[in-house]
Amino acid sequence: MLPSFFIAHGAPSLAIEQHAYTEFLQKLAKSIPAPKAIVLFSAHWEGPVQKISSAIHLETIYDFSGFSEKLYDIKYPAKGDLTLSLHIQRLFQEEGIRCELDDERGLDHGAWAPLYIMYPDAQIPVVALSVNPRLTAEEHYRIGAALGPLRDEDVLILGSGGTVHNLRRLDQNNPVPQVWAVEFDEWLAEQLETWNLDALVRYDERAPNAREAVPTPEHFVPLLLALGAADTTRRAKLLHHSFQMGTLSLCCWMFGGMRKS
């Protein structure tokens, strides 16, 4: 059984950066058994209905501007896995979760940037999943839980987003994290480590500085999805935590742990 993970994808430039977090992601991929496939929820694929990528070849999408031209030279030629896509569709349908296959969608930078660091040879099949920020936190957790059985099938479930993600509060010249951002992540860590679902699903009301840390929910949603995927084991461990530009949180959480099937 594989754990599920929440990984912060930072800015698109993460793919060409070299620092403690990128080194951590490289080591993380080597520290866990090679998965048969990767299922990834990206904050940058939003929609009113749960979408499941079903393309055979996944296009590298450059959904950003104003960054280094080097990023446009990166290709992440991952293949899809139609059998897995159909399996995910059935898992959702069994739980009454409305979903649709999408045979055109490729991988946005929320997906390919961290994967390019973790699995640069792009040899592991990938199925991308959308997020719906309009759903409740409880609904996101339920969607993640529906995919829990995949962990027993050596499928790696990743939620890619950011816990503190307020682009208006970034400070390019400040390496020191701001107090309000640290306070939010510390509160979040306490709730995750105790699996306090009552508090987590009401983070917007209970967490300090929630409106500043999460001005819009799409980047927080993948955390709840990855959390739900480990509902049967309910263990959380913070593996890495750092900040960029004063407020951009770069963290990785492992949910469920690893155990023999």
Side-chain angles (χ1 to χ4, degrees):
M1 172 180 282
L2 288 174
S4 58
F5 292 89
F6 171 78
I7 53 175
H9 61 245
S13 54
L14 184 76
I16 56 174
E17 293 172 356
Q18 292 184 345
H19 46 64
Y21 183 57
T22 57
E23 290 177 7
F24 160 78
L25 290 177
Q26 292 169 346
K27 292 178 181 178
L28 175 65
K30 295 176 182 178
S31 71
I32 60 178
K36 292 180 180 178
I38 297 170
V39 170
L40 187 148
F41 290 95
S42 173
H44 289 272
W45 186 9
E46 297 181 44
V49 177
Q50 180 62 60
K51 292 292 187 73
I52 307 163
S53 71
S54 57
I56 297 175
H57 299 283
L58 298 170
E59 177 187 358
T60 304
I61 303 173
Y62 306 101
D63 54 329
F64 49 81
S65 61
F67 290 89
S68 170
E69 291 297 322
K70 293 180 180 179
L71 290 171
Y72 295 93
D73 294 330
I74 295 176
K75 303 290 183 183
Y76 194 78
K79 293 183 179 180
D81 185 332
L82 180 57
T83 299
L84 178 57
S85 298
L86 293 170
H87 183 26
I88 292 171
Q89 183 183 45
R90 288 191 295 271
L91 290 173
F92 283 149
Q93 290 173 341
E94 288 171 1
E95 296 299 323
I97 298 168
R98 185 184 169 200
C99 62
E100 296 175 355
L101 297 175
D102 188 321
D103 62 3
E104 296 183 354
R105 178 75 180 192
L107 298 178
D108 57 63
H109 82 268
W112 65 256
L115 291 179
Y116 178 73
I117 297 169
M118 297 175 69
Y119 299 103
D121 59 6
Q123 294 301 303
I124 301 173
V126 178
V127 174
L129 299 176
S130 66
V131 300
N132 181 359
R134 295 186 178 183
L135 297 179
T136 66
E138 290 94 338
E139 289 172 316
H140 290 127
Y141 187 89
R142 177 170 166 255
I143 290 171
L147 299 186
L150 297 179
R151 295 174 54 221
D152 283 317
E153 301 170 22
D154 296 326
V155 173
L156 180 60
I157 300 174
L158 301 177
S160 175
T163 53
V164 180
H165 189 86
N166 188 335
L167 300 184
R168 293 185 178 182
R169 296 298 302 273
L170 296 180
D171 186 347
Q172 297 282 350
N173 300 314
N174 186 4
V176 179
Q178 295 188 18
V179 172
W180 63 265
V182 173
E183 288 179 346
F184 178 84
D185 265 357
E186 287 180 343
W187 178 91
L188 181 62
E190 182 178 350
Q191 313 317 313
L192 289 171
E193 288 168 352
T194 57
W195 213 274
N196 187 352
L197 283 181
D198 184 59
L200 287 166
V201 299
R202 292 169 179 80
Y203 74 92
D204 54 338
E205 301 171 358
R206 298 191 180 184
N209 314 308
R211 290 187 179 182
E212 284 187 289
V214 189
T216 55
E218 76 287 340
H219 276 75
F220 193 82
V221 165
L223 175 76
L224 299 170
L225 294 160
L227 184 71
D231 180 67
T232 57
T233 39
R234 297 196 170 195
R235 293 193 300 274
K237 184 177 181 180
L238 180 61
L239 301 182
H240 179 92
H241 191 205
S242 59
F243 280 90
Q244 283 183 317
M245 295 177 281
T247 65
L248 187 61
S249 178
L250 299 178
C251 63
C252 175
W253 281 91
M254 178 174 69
F255 302 123
M258 286 182 278
R259 70 166 189 245
K260 294 181 179 180
S261 302

